Amino acid sequence: MGALSVLLASIGNRASIILALSLPLCAYLPASVSKVLLPYMSFIIIGLITLAMIRVDLARVLGHLKNPVSLVLFLVGLMFVFPLSVDWIARYFSLAAPIHIGLVLAACAPPLGSAPNLAYLLKLDGELVFNITLAGTAIIPLTAPWVIGMTLGDQMTFDQWALFQKLLITVGSSFLLAFVVRKVLGRERIKRSSTQLDGVSTLIMVLFVATAMAGVSEIIENDPFYMVLLLIVVTIANFGSQFFFSIIGLFIRRIGHLFRSVGSMQTESILSFSMVAGNRNLGLVAAVIPIAFLQEILPFLALYQVPIYLTPLLGGLFYGYLLKRKK
């Protein structure tokens, strides 16, 4: 057990590099790997959410909920205003249908299930990110059908009940597993094992990227120009969202006398909102759309993982710089 603990700690300490390297390596895995792992995608997502719930400080979670104004405002912007804006931009630039659909679905999606784990890696507010992720996931059955109807119209049918069931099973199972593990390990042992938990989280995230990226190299060989274009689009969409929300959030905080609830927020909280804005759980939404549309946006879904897995590395530099400036 000692050797395993050391190994997991070593992986956790190198999480940013490992996640970045997993992208090109997994892309060159045969497509059969993705086909084998795809049926287990729900379990992978449950594992990521469970890890986040194990580590979360419940006292801080409840503390955030005592002043929910900022959380509500951000969710409105995240789940309603932002997708409508993305749709307008896609139409303005006359983007191809697969790119248009992929961008809108990503903007409609709840925050990434592993977003709290990313927040811990980036030294941000994991408890706040957990609240955003949970709330965003809870309201997605209500928000996504309306937003998709407003943006994509008759291009796509959307099974709201299937999505609701999937989210309920995923979140419910994660809560149950996390509750059991927290009881078995205890709060102090969990705190002492933070680096090892980073290691476990990293391994599960690599498993996820293997599921999404395996076989991508074959698509790149068939149409390299389109794949490069997709990579540029998803990178701008992710990091552009993070940068935009960071600047806007810090600006609003500076004029906080107009927005008292936001003006009193800590820098970590504002940057946590920003990180979540760019990192969405597109896999959950993609799982319930018609198979024809899923196949059409599959390259988008695969390459969408690239900026997510680069967030610990590049985001670490960006958020680290902003966090140092506050001191």
Side-chain angles (χ1 to χ4, degrees):
M1 188 65 182
L4 178 60
S5 178
V6 171
L7 176 61
L8 291 175
S10 179
I11 294 173
N13 286 327
R14 297 166 177 80
S16 298
I17 299 296
I18 292 173
L19 291 177
L21 290 176
S22 70
L23 293 168
L25 294 176
C26 290
Y28 280 91
L29 291 173
S32 58
V33 173
S34 179
K35 292 180 180 178
V36 170
L37 292 175
L38 200 57
Y40 304 100
M41 178 67 81
S42 296
F43 297 104
I44 295 172
I45 294 173
I46 287 173
L48 290 172
I49 299 176
T50 300
L51 277 171
M53 292 179 179
I54 289 171
R55 303 177 62 179
V56 76
D57 186 333
L58 294 179
R60 292 193 64 193
V61 167
L62 295 176
H64 284 304
L65 294 178
K66 291 179 181 178
N67 184 19
V69 176
S70 299
L71 179 61
V72 171
L73 288 175
F74 184 76
L75 284 173
V76 170
L78 188 74
M79 309 299 285
F80 289 100
V81 179
F82 190 56
L84 296 176
S85 301
V86 168
D87 176 65
W88 181 85
I89 293 171
R91 293 181 186 278
Y92 181 82
F93 287 101
S94 300
L95 297 179
I99 299 177
H100 185 176
I101 293 172
L103 286 173
V104 172
L105 290 181
C108 290
L112 193 69
S114 59
N117 298 314
L118 289 177
Y120 288 119
L121 289 173
L122 295 169
K123 312 302 180 187
L124 299 178
D125 193 336
E127 286 72 29
L128 179 57
V129 171
F130 175 83
N131 278 341
I132 299 170
T133 301
L134 185 60
T137 302
I139 67 174
I140 187 77
L142 301 176
T143 61
W146 180 80
V147 173
I148 290 174
M150 288 282 293
T151 55
L152 301 179
D154 296 332
Q155 297 183 54
M156 178 184 303
T157 57
F158 198 80
D159 192 338
Q160 178 180 354
W161 178 241
L163 177 59
F164 172 78
Q165 288 180 310
K166 185 177 181 65
L167 292 176
L168 185 63
I169 293 172
T170 301
V171 176
S173 301
S174 302
F175 260 114
L176 180 60
L177 287 172
F179 175 79
V180 172
V181 174
R182 285 174 69 94
K183 285 292 185 182
V184 172
L185 295 182
R187 184 184 304 176
E188 292 303 317
R189 187 175 178 184
I190 291 173
K191 288 183 178 179
R192 291 197 307 268
S193 304
S194 61
T195 307
Q196 285 82 359
L197 290 173
D198 283 341
V200 176
S201 174
T202 301
L203 291 175
I204 297 179
M205 291 177 75
V206 169
L207 196 60
F208 177 87
V209 82
T211 307
M213 295 287 289
V216 165
S217 62
E218 299 172 11
I219 304 176
I220 294 175
E221 291 176 3
N222 293 331
D223 195 347
F225 177 78
Y226 179 62
M227 295 300 284
V228 170
L229 175 63
L230 271 185
L231 182 58
I232 293 172
V233 169
V234 296
T235 301
I236 292 175
N238 187 307
F239 290 122
S241 299
Q242 294 188 58
F243 178 79
F244 175 78
F245 275 87
S246 295
I247 299 303
I248 293 298
L250 293 174
F251 175 75
I252 291 177
R253 186 190 180 202
R254 180 159 293 188
I255 57 172
H257 61 281
L258 297 177
F259 303 90
R260 182 175 299 177
S261 62
V262 179
S264 62
M265 291 181 64
Q266 297 181 351
T267 301
E268 289 90 341
S269 299
I270 293 174
L271 298 182
S272 297
F273 282 142
S274 306
M275 187 272 291
V276 166
N279 293 287
R280 305 295 191 91
N281 195 351
L282 178 56
L284 275 180
V285 179
V288 299
I289 67 173
I291 188 65
F293 290 104
L294 177 58
Q295 292 174 341
E296 191 175 3
I297 69 165
L298 196 57
F300 184 99
L301 174 61
L303 291 183
Y304 187 77
Q305 309 310 311
V306 174
I308 290 176
Y309 281 75
L310 289 178
T311 292
L313 188 62
L314 300 181
L317 299 175
F318 176 65
Y319 294 124
Y321 170 76
L322 294 178
L323 290 172
K324 286 180 181 178
R325 285 196 62 185
K326 74 159 189 171
K327 297 180 180 179

